[in-house]
Amino acid sequence: MSKYPLISIITPLFNTEKYISKTIKSVINQTYQNWELIIIDDKSDDKSKDIVRKFLDDKRIKLISSVKNKGPAKTRNRGLTIAKGRFVSFLDSDDIWLKNKLEVQLNFMIEEKVGFSFTKYNRINWKGEIIGYPKTFIEMPSYEQLTYNCTIGCLTVMIDREICKDLVFPDILKRQDHGLWLLLFKKGIQPYGINKVLASYRVRRNSVSSNKFVAAGYQWRLYRDIMNFKFSYSLIIMVKYLINGIRNRI
């Protein structure tokens, strides 16, 4: 393997004109520089695309446009078909990375021969202020733990596609990343956590993920429609999910 393998970064873009510039700059400022940034616009109707175009002098940055809104799962999956790198990472258009994120994570994966890694992250508000972080972090979660306590933030994940084959996000509006992690685990791919904060997840007001009732609904759909868990098992895991969520906010 090359000492400096290409990392493909997939970024769905939808109406984030306030944040996309900082997101892109957090990639440009990485200490590891052999990357491509694939930004796929999901039919934005604000100035997001115009802002991205200002960065296209950097040939590592690509802007792809969709003719209609398809949602984050299909958008990320389209990015995976375009990506040229052996390693892939995911960064939403309002989140940011610390400057050594790619370098630390890639070195870990190469040294430990790991196919799937993730890191810690901070939560920031719409102004970029740190407002907290997930209270639990499990470096090597079991499959059962991962079903109800997903500490794997999509913005922190890096995957080696030579080890993890056939990457496809389940087509659901929310929790599609959680679904992919579970599906990979079922194939025998153990996620490995790096106990360092290397990214910042932006919590925006009125987002789907900020509405806990709506989020719980998508979690139930993940169990029943994507993972095809039996009703009784889904109910048990859902109760564990809700209890875990309460504990994390006390």
Side-chain angles (χ1 to χ4, degrees):
M1 181 175 65
S2 169
K3 185 179 179 182
Y4 302 106
L6 178 66
I7 302 173
S8 296
I9 304 157
I10 298 171
T11 296
L13 176 68
F14 182 69
N15 288 354
T16 49
E17 62 182 6
K18 294 181 180 179
Y19 312 112
I20 184 58
S21 179
K22 291 182 179 179
T23 299
I24 295 173
K25 288 177 181 177
S26 79
V27 175
I28 292 173
N29 292 333
Q30 288 294 302
T31 55
Y32 186 85
Q33 287 288 300
N34 191 22
W35 48 261
E36 62 172 355
L37 175 58
I38 303 169
I39 301 173
I40 303 176
D41 179 64
D42 197 20
K43 198 63 175 174
S44 296
D45 54 17
D46 65 356
K47 296 179 180 179
S48 296
K49 285 200 297 183
D50 294 334
I51 294 170
V52 172
R53 290 189 182 101
K54 296 177 182 179
F55 292 92
L56 295 183
D57 287 343
D58 188 328
K59 300 306 179 184
R60 298 172 298 177
I61 301 174
K62 304 173 179 65
L63 174 62
I64 312 296
S65 296
S66 298
V67 295
K68 63 179 181 179
N69 182 272
K70 296 182 177 180
K74 288 183 178 178
T75 301
R76 290 194 184 109
N77 286 335
R78 185 180 181 189
L80 286 168
T81 66
I82 297 169
K84 297 178 180 178
R86 169 176 171 176
F87 293 84
V88 292
S89 289
F90 309 97
L91 180 62
D92 283 355
S93 58
D94 53 356
D95 297 333
I96 56 178
W97 284 343
L98 276 65
K99 65 180 182 180
N100 61 338
K101 192 263 187 191
L102 292 180
E103 180 180 10
V104 169
Q105 199 163 11
L106 182 64
N107 287 341
F108 171 81
M109 293 182 70
I110 292 173
E111 291 171 5
E112 301 297 328
K113 297 181 175 60
V114 168
F116 177 179
S117 73
F118 61 99
T119 80
K120 280 187 167 181
Y121 61 94
N122 287 322
R123 289 193 179 102
I124 58 176
N125 62 17
W126 62 279
K127 294 186 288 186
E129 301 166 334
I130 295 175
I131 57 175
Y133 53 91
K135 292 185 178 180
T136 58
F137 184 79
I138 307 171
E139 292 187 18
M140 287 186 64
S142 68
Y143 180 76
E144 183 179 359
Q145 286 174 321
L146 193 59
T147 58
Y148 65 85
N149 184 18
C150 183
T151 63
I152 303 175
C154 190
L155 76 163
T156 75
V157 165
M158 184 181 289
I159 292 176
D160 182 346
R161 294 201 291 179
E162 288 192 2
I163 297 175
C164 304
K165 308 290 186 179
D166 302 322
L167 294 179
V168 179
F169 284 89
D171 189 12
I172 186 174
L173 180 60
K174 287 291 179 181
R175 300 298 191 261
Q176 72 278 157
D177 51 347
H178 189 184
L180 178 57
W181 315 153
L182 289 172
L183 292 170
L184 287 173
F185 213 137
K186 286 184 71 173
K187 294 179 180 180
I189 305 296
Q190 169 71 53
Y192 289 83
I194 300 172
N195 197 6
K196 295 180 180 179
V197 174
L198 295 176
S200 295
Y201 170 78
R202 194 179 304 274
V203 180
R204 289 192 281 158
R205 293 174 293 186
N206 302 319
S207 68
V208 172
S209 58
S210 69
N211 186 317
K212 302 308 175 187
F213 293 102
V214 174
Y218 281 107
Q219 194 70 27
W220 179 256
R221 282 192 60 195
L222 169 64
Y223 295 150
R224 294 289 289 149
D225 299 342
I226 305 301
M227 301 308 301
N228 296 315
F229 293 157
K230 292 182 179 179
F231 181 85
S232 56
Y233 183 70
S234 297
L235 193 59
I236 292 169
I237 294 299
M238 192 69 193
V239 171
K240 289 184 177 181
Y241 164 81
L242 294 172
I243 292 173
N244 184 72
I246 294 170
R247 286 175 177 169
N248 281 338
R249 285 164 178 79
I250 294 176

